[in-house]
Amino acid sequence: KGVARRASSLLYAGESVFTQYLLNFPSSSVSKTWALQQLRILRWAVSEVQHHDGITGTESPKVQDMYMANLMQGMYAVKKLMAFIILETFHSGKKGELSSYTSTNHFGRLDSSKIEHYVVVYNPLAWNV
């Protein structure tokens, strides 16, 4: 049940990130068909587990292994999508979009006053992090 809950949260996060990405970058390079397929893999796995979870303890070890494999495959697909979106957003180089860079001073060392750091935190359940 714990994996199913994490998968469900990840699905919500993936759908939210993809929606915001499309709203902000409608002509993006991310294939909408491919992205929706990645989300569908996890949506199907989560739905399958939730549907059969109504009768607790009735699944065989073989079925439980199948659920786990499907959930892990779906979670991997959505994480891959989210990583692609984040990398695409950070490396777009367009004005008004997120970008990151570092610069060096004349001694060849990093100039800490010119380093920008970005952290993306998604916390749908408002847990303390």
Side-chain angles (χ1 to χ4, degrees), residues 13-85:
E15 289 173 337
S16 299
V17 166
F18 181 60
T19 301
Q20 289 298 315
Y21 180 70
L22 286 181
L23 289 173
N24 292 316
F25 310 104
S27 61
S28 65
S29 65
V30 175
S31 166
K32 292 167 186 64
T33 303
W34 175 80
L36 291 172
Q37 287 171 344
Q38 304 311 299
L39 292 168
R40 183 176 45 174
I41 293 169
L42 185 55
R43 188 179 304 114
W44 180 83
V46 168
S47 298
E48 179 185 43
V49 171
Q50 288 175 345
H51 172 75
H52 291 286
D53 196 38
I55 309 171
T56 306
T58 58
E59 76 275 356
S60 67
K62 182 179 176 182
V63 172
Q64 183 178 3
D65 292 344
M66 181 191 69
Y67 289 165
M68 285 298 292
N70 290 342
L71 285 171
M72 293 305 193
Q73 179 185 8
M75 290 170 72
Y76 175 77
V78 171
K79 286 178 182 180
K80 184 170 55 173
L81 169 63
M82 292 174 74
F84 190 82
I85 288 172

Side-chain angles (χ1 to χ4, degrees), residues 64-111:
Q64 183 178 3
D65 292 344
M66 181 191 69
Y67 289 165
M68 285 298 292
N70 290 342
L71 285 171
M72 293 305 193
Q73 179 185 8
M75 290 170 72
Y76 175 77
V78 171
K79 286 178 182 180
K80 184 170 55 173
L81 169 63
M82 292 174 74
F84 190 82
I85 288 172
I86 290 169
L87 289 174
E88 174 77 13
T89 303
F90 279 95
H91 296 291
S92 64
K94 297 178 185 172
K95 186 176 180 180
E97 296 179 13
L98 297 174
S99 62
S100 71
Y101 66 89
T102 60
S103 63
T104 56
N105 61 18
H106 62 280
F107 297 111
R109 290 178 281 168
L110 290 177
D111 183 356

